[in-house]
């Protein structure tokens, strides 16, 4: 799956436990009728992927949905969901590299000598 949006916040990398589990969170705001603020976590070596990004950039993030079950000491079962990113790319950069530049409108000359009868090649 993937999500697109503008980076609103990038958190610092945090380390947890004795094994050195690393996690870094990023919040993106989607651009739709009702914008959503989505918190996406990058874990372990994927935390470094966020080093080249900054607030305000438009990005596309490849994600996996994660869910887990937990039973509290009172015996109640709780469920938690998370969005885990594994790839991120700058949309603005990919658009400019994939598509040739569009010339400005004033770079074209108007067709003043156009005669519709000469160019009508429709069969009806």
């Amino acid at each position: 799956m993937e999500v697109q949006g503008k980076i609103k916040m990038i958190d610092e990398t945090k380390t947890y436990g004795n094994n050195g589990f690393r996690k870094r969170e990023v919040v993106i705001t989607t651009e739709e009728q009702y914008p959503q603020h989505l918190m996406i976590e990058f874990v372990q070596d994927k935390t470094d992927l966020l080093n080249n990004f900054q607030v305000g950039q438009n990005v596309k993030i490849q994600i996996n949905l994660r869910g887990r079950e937990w039973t509290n000491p009172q015996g109640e079962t709780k469920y938690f969901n998370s969005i885990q990113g594994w790839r991120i790319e700058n949309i603005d950069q990919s658009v400019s590299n994939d598509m040739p530049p569009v010339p400005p409108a004033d770079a074209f000359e108007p067709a003043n000598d156009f005669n519709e009868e000469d160019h009508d090649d429709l069969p009806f």
Side-chain angles (χ1 to χ4, degrees):
M1 299 177 78
E2 72 180 32
V3 293
Q4 293 185 29
K6 186 178 295 245
I7 296 176
K8 182 175 185 170
M9 184 274 299
I10 301 177
D11 203 1
E12 297 296 320
T13 301
K14 295 178 181 162
T15 305
Y16 301 92
N18 296 332
N19 293 333
F21 178 81
R22 297 185 311 148
K23 181 168 90 169
R24 191 170 185 189
E25 298 172 341
V26 61
V27 175
I28 65 166
T29 303
T30 61
E31 296 178 0
E32 52 194 341
Q33 183 177 0
Y34 301 106
Q36 301 296 306
H37 304 284
L38 303 174
M39 197 265 309
I40 301 166
E41 59 185 31
F42 286 77
V43 298
Q44 299 298 74
D45 61 330
K46 301 297 183 190
T47 60
D48 296 332
L49 295 175
L50 297 175
N51 291 343
N52 298 324
F53 293 89
Q54 56 192 343
V55 173
Q57 283 183 295
N58 288 310
V59 294
K60 177 169 47 175
I61 302 177
Q62 302 295 324
I63 62 166
N64 291 323
L65 298 178
R66 298 284 185 221
R68 64 185 178 94
E69 180 180 271
W70 175 70
T71 304
N72 68 16
Q74 293 77 28
E76 298 172 319
T77 302
K78 306 279 184 175
Y79 296 91
F80 298 92
N81 297 320
S82 62
I83 304 172
Q84 198 170 87
W86 55 272
R87 182 177 181 195
I88 181 171
E89 62 183 281
N90 185 347
I91 292 177
D92 298 328
Q93 179 181 340
S94 65
V95 168
S96 63
N97 287 342
D98 293 344
M99 303 209 31
V102 177
D106 61 357
F108 298 96
E109 292 183 28
N112 294 330
D113 61 346
F114 182 73
N115 184 350
E116 190 172 332
E117 292 177 9
D118 294 341
H119 301 286
D120 186 10
D121 58 354
L122 295 177
F124 50 88

